[in-house]
Amino acid sequence: MDMLRIEYDIQHHLILSKKKRSDHALIRMIVSTLSTPSELFNLKKRDFRAFKGKNFDYYTVRLSESGRSRISPVDRKTFEIIQSMPSRPFNYSEEEMDAIVAKYSPPDRKYDCRRLRSAVESILNDSSFFGELETFKSIEERYAFMLDFNPLYSGFWDLEDDEGIEDFVLSYSEVSGVKDSRKIADDTGIDEEIVRKILKSRRRSLLFYER
């Protein structure tokens, strides 16, 4: 599976889940921290921390599973979303978490928690430093790595720029087969007028050229 399609699949989960905050938060945690279902089940709001670093503010979360724990970077927006949720945000079974992830999968590819986590790992594996992430001297260095290589941290996967919105709309229309601007706007939460203008441009997504 090529990297552009994997990146689209991850973004598809993130964008379409925005309508339900708890589902969106669960998917963001997997993409931001590579959380497992057990780590998500054990998660509590008090496990999160915010810090003032030398060069930027950064955020962390303690993830626990089978008596072991690890400290992971977490992006700012996911941190903020979790703060508005119950003290135990994800009190679900693994099967329920898999069903949440599957619900927001592209129509031609079904994901569960494990497969979504693997998709994010494949994006990060493009960096020669990913295998050394746990050996970085500080959590701030690990956060800086994620800023550089995990598009959720920079906001790109949240569609914070016009170019990103255009390519996602074109890719969504191509993968889903949906050509109606109102339907795409309802599905993605992107303004219908913006969707209409993008579709009228008759441009092609990057996915089209990678076939």
Side-chain angles (χ1 to χ4, degrees):
M1 196 188 302
D2 66 86
M3 288 297 105
L4 281 176
R5 179 57 205 262
I6 292 173
E7 186 167 347
Y8 170 78
D9 289 353
I10 296 168
Q11 198 173 20
H12 186 282
H13 284 86
L14 290 164
I15 300 303
L16 269 68
S17 64
K18 284 185 176 181
K19 290 181 179 180
K20 188 167 183 181
R21 194 174 187 83
S22 58
D23 291 359
H24 185 58
L26 184 144
I27 288 169
R28 289 188 74 97
M29 279 295 297
I30 296 172
V31 176
S32 182
T33 71
L34 301 174
S35 303
T36 66
S38 293
E39 288 175 332
L40 291 170
F41 179 78
N42 293 326
L43 185 68
K44 299 178 179 63
K45 281 169 58 173
R46 67 170 181 261
D47 294 322
F48 289 82
R49 296 286 185 273
F51 296 93
K52 293 280 186 182
K54 294 179 180 178
N55 302 308
F56 46 75
D57 295 347
Y58 63 98
Y59 308 86
T60 69
V61 59
R62 181 182 295 276
L63 299 167
S64 302
E65 180 179 21
S66 301
R68 295 174 296 178
S69 65
R70 63 184 177 98
I71 303 295
S72 171
V74 60
D75 69 282
R76 177 189 57 80
K77 185 175 280 190
T78 301
F79 173 89
E80 292 173 349
I81 290 172
I82 296 291
Q83 299 315 301
S84 68
M85 295 177 67
S87 59
R88 285 195 61 187
F90 308 118
N91 192 19
Y92 310 127
S93 67
E94 182 171 347
E95 290 75 18
E96 289 171 323
M97 293 184 199
D98 282 340
I100 288 170
V101 172
K103 182 165 57 173
Y104 301 104
S105 296
D108 58 338
R109 292 178 179 172
K110 291 302 178 186
Y111 282 75
D112 56 18
C113 295
R114 181 196 58 77
R115 191 176 180 199
L116 181 59
R117 187 175 186 269
S118 294
V120 179
E121 285 182 330
S122 68
I123 296 295
L124 296 177
N125 273 327
D126 269 1
S127 164
S128 60
F129 297 108
F130 179 55
E132 303 171 15
L133 187 58
E134 295 301 322
T135 68
F136 287 175
K137 292 180 180 179
S138 71
I139 189 69
E140 187 174 356
E141 288 178 328
R142 280 187 266 165
Y143 191 92
F145 169 89
M146 288 296 199
L147 277 175
D148 287 340
F149 297 107
N150 186 326
L152 187 63
Y153 282 67
S154 66
F156 181 79
W157 276 342
D158 280 321
L159 301 183
E160 292 187 355
D161 66 77
D162 293 341
E163 184 178 348
I165 292 172
E166 179 181 75
D167 195 64
F168 181 78
V169 168
L170 294 173
S171 296
Y172 184 80
S173 178
E174 187 171 321
V175 171
S176 67
V178 177
K179 307 298 181 185
D180 180 71
S181 60
R182 179 176 295 181
K183 169 66 173 167
I184 294 174
D186 287 345
D187 289 347
T188 65
I190 300 170
D191 183 85
E192 185 183 353
E193 184 59 31
I194 293 174
V195 174
R196 186 181 297 113
K197 287 179 180 178
I198 292 171
L199 295 180
K200 282 185 176 179
S201 74
R202 298 188 180 278
R203 286 189 281 270
R204 293 286 192 175
S205 72
L206 292 176
L207 284 180
F208 176 83
Y209 296 106
E210 286 295 313
R211 287 181 171 180

